[in-house]
Amino acid sequence: MSLTPQAPAPRITYGAVLGSPYVARLLGGTLTGRLPNGMAPVAILLWATAGGSSIAFGGLLSALYGLASALAQPVKGRLMDRHGQSAVHLPAALLNSGLLVALPLTGPYGSSGLATVLVVGGGLAAPPLEAGLRALWPSVLPDPRLRHAALALDTGTQGLLYIVGPLLVAALASAYNPAVALAVTAALGLVGTAAVALAPPSRRWRPERSEDQCAAPVRRLATPAVALLFVSLTGIGFAIGAMNVWSVSMAEHYEQDMLAGVIPAAFSVGSFVGGLIYGRRTWSGTATRRLVVATAAFLGGWLPLLALPAPYAATAAVAVPGAALTIVVACAYVTTDALVPTSRTTEAYAWLILSIGAGQAAGTALAGRLAEQPLASAALPAAGAGFALAVLLAARRRLSPTGHPQRGRHRRPLRGRHETPLITGASEPASISPNTTPLVRHHR
């Protein structure tokens, strides 16, 4: 008896992904709602300096906004896991937008303390759209191949926010004033968040509670494996933060101000292209193995900087680790999904985002102190990537324990839809912001 070979599965296209119900709305709304992440720090800085404050104070306000937004992520993620997405997104967006609009009302010589309170409050209230979208994809796209491509598209486009956002703020501030830029920032955040929060998938979403969790509800989120994974991701963030400051050093050394923006933009473009390529096929092997390999590629991509390349070569070089970043973060999300309780995945995603953000802050701070030393400054991104790889190699058995294969988990599907099992080895790219310090690049 002969077996008839099965025809290969049809190739997934991004047109098919965007044509699926709710995908374009959720992705477009999330991108619009997250534009303030790239716009608000620059708009706050411009508003502060236009009102007579020092660049140092404006930079402090911008940093506080980003830091507050990152630190509040796990809390908002846990609230979504308990109460649903719309119950968190809408109040957060209203408060965030209201505080950003209120900031110019303090006046050009308003109280610095009041301005600080408004900025920190706005950062704390920033809607957790990134973690929320990650949790929505399984119910919106039950087909694992479509979900794989959607998440890759999501991953690549996130980095572009930190190119478009600052440019839009600069244009608005130049044509009008920084207060208008803040108002537009608030409006975009509110409109984008509402588009997501009012969509049926977001309104109906609730975390899945598996039978094993019902029997053992005390299962912890912070296991050693999860902790080691998040510690390794601080090294990834450290490399990105150090790269941002190194680009400023390159701009000063070669007296070409554009390099401070062009180099991070090349990194983001690399991430975008890498995400598009990665999402076009299903990859074999475990997510842990791909995570280690991709992190090794991320490290290798930074090594050419140790040769202190000229501007054009440096710009081309950073696109390589940018492309690897997409795979690193993609596999990190899949690994997280396999390690944490299904009822707390949104909170876990938020901790993942915070881990990378904390690493970025550390990389930015240390690179700033070493900016006058070209070789040390160029070596910091590779040092961060090397730390990440070392932790992953030490923890790889914990991340993929024998007898417990990694698997994707699904939330409750929409009425009338059916879940399909996740193909073994299919990975789910994540959304991540490859550049969270635009103010350092554009406003020194």
Side-chain angles (χ1 to χ4, degrees):
M1 183 176 65
S2 61
L3 296 177
T4 302
Q6 293 183 347
R11 192 176 187 85
I12 292 297
T13 66
Y14 288 112
V17 172
L18 293 174
S20 300
Y22 304 115
V23 170
R25 175 175 176 174
L26 291 173
L27 182 57
T30 298
L31 292 174
T32 303
R34 291 191 65 231
L35 262 176
N37 291 359
M39 296 176 66
V42 180
I44 291 169
L45 175 61
L46 292 178
W47 169 79
T49 54
S53 298
S54 66
I55 294 179
F57 179 67
L60 174 63
L61 289 180
S62 298
L64 286 174
Y65 181 90
L67 181 61
S69 177
L71 291 176
Q73 285 284 331
V75 175
K76 288 177 285 191
R78 187 161 192 176
L79 288 174
M80 283 196 295
D81 281 336
R82 289 185 175 182
H83 306 292
Q85 294 197 358
S86 297
V88 176
H89 281 332
L90 290 176
L94 287 169
L95 182 57
N96 174 264
S97 298
L99 292 174
L100 288 178
V101 171
L103 186 59
L105 300 181
T106 61
Y109 302 102
S111 167
S112 60
L114 177 58
T116 302
V117 169
L118 291 176
V119 166
V120 171
L124 291 174
L129 292 170
E130 184 175 355
L133 183 64
R134 293 266 340 143
L136 281 178
W137 284 133
S139 62
V140 175
L141 293 169
D143 185 331
R145 296 186 306 139
L146 285 174
R147 185 166 62 252
H148 174 77
L151 293 167
L153 183 62
D154 175 17
T155 303
T157 53
Q158 297 302 324
L160 300 181
L161 297 177
Y162 296 89
I163 301 174
V164 175
L167 290 176
L168 181 56
V169 167
L172 290 170
S174 176
Y176 302 99
N177 56 63
V180 172
L182 278 170
V184 172
T185 299
L188 288 172
L190 186 58
V191 169
T193 303
V196 173
L198 298 178
S202 182
R203 287 189 289 107
R204 299 173 185 174
W205 180 88
R206 291 296 183 276
E208 178 186 279
R209 299 185 183 277
S210 60
E211 295 179 1
D212 63 315
Q213 287 174 284
C214 294
V218 296
R219 186 178 173 192
R220 296 180 302 152
L221 176 64
T223 63
V226 172
L228 287 171
L229 174 63
F230 291 171
V231 167
S232 73
L233 293 176
T234 62
I236 301 297
F238 184 95
I240 300 169
M243 180 269 297
N244 290 326
V245 179
W246 172 77
S247 67
V248 176
S249 301
M250 287 283 290
E252 292 181 346
H253 179 74
Y254 288 97
E255 298 182 351
Q256 298 180 28
D257 291 341
M258 287 298 295
L259 286 176
V262 169
I263 290 177
F267 182 84
S268 295
V269 170
S271 178
F272 176 68
V273 174
L276 293 181
I277 296 173
Y278 183 64
R280 291 299 299 269
R281 58 167 293 186
T282 299
W283 301 82
S284 61
T286 65
T288 300
R289 182 177 181 275
R290 291 195 304 278
L291 176 60
V292 172
V293 172
T295 304
F298 185 71
L299 169 59
W302 294 116
L303 296 180
L305 301 189
L306 299 178
L308 303 179
Y312 290 113
T315 301
V318 298
V320 176
L325 175 70
T326 298
I327 307 174
V328 170
V329 181
C331 297
Y333 269 96
V334 176
T335 304
T336 299
D337 197 44
L339 293 173
V340 303
T342 54
S343 61
R344 299 182 68 180
T345 48
T346 309
E347 181 186 356
Y349 297 157
W351 277 107
L352 189 156
I353 296 167
L354 175 58
S355 298
I356 296 177
Q360 284 180 296
T364 300
L366 184 56
R369 291 183 172 274
L370 299 178
E372 300 299 325
Q373 304 177 34
L375 182 58
S377 180
L380 284 179
F387 171 82
L389 181 60
V391 174
L392 288 174
L393 288 173
R396 64 187 184 278
R397 293 187 181 277
R398 288 180 179 271
L399 298 178
S400 186
T402 304
H404 294 81
Q406 293 175 318
R407 60 190 186 279
R409 287 172 177 152
H410 303 275
R411 279 69 185 164
R412 183 186 304 169
L414 296 181
R415 190 174 300 171
R417 297 178 183 231
H418 299 281
E419 294 282 356
T420 57
L422 191 64
I423 295 175
T424 301
S427 61
E428 300 185 357
S431 55
I432 194 64
S433 306
N435 182 12
T436 60
T437 56
L439 59 123
V440 175
R441 303 195 316 267
H442 298 286
H443 303 278
R444 295 169 31 240

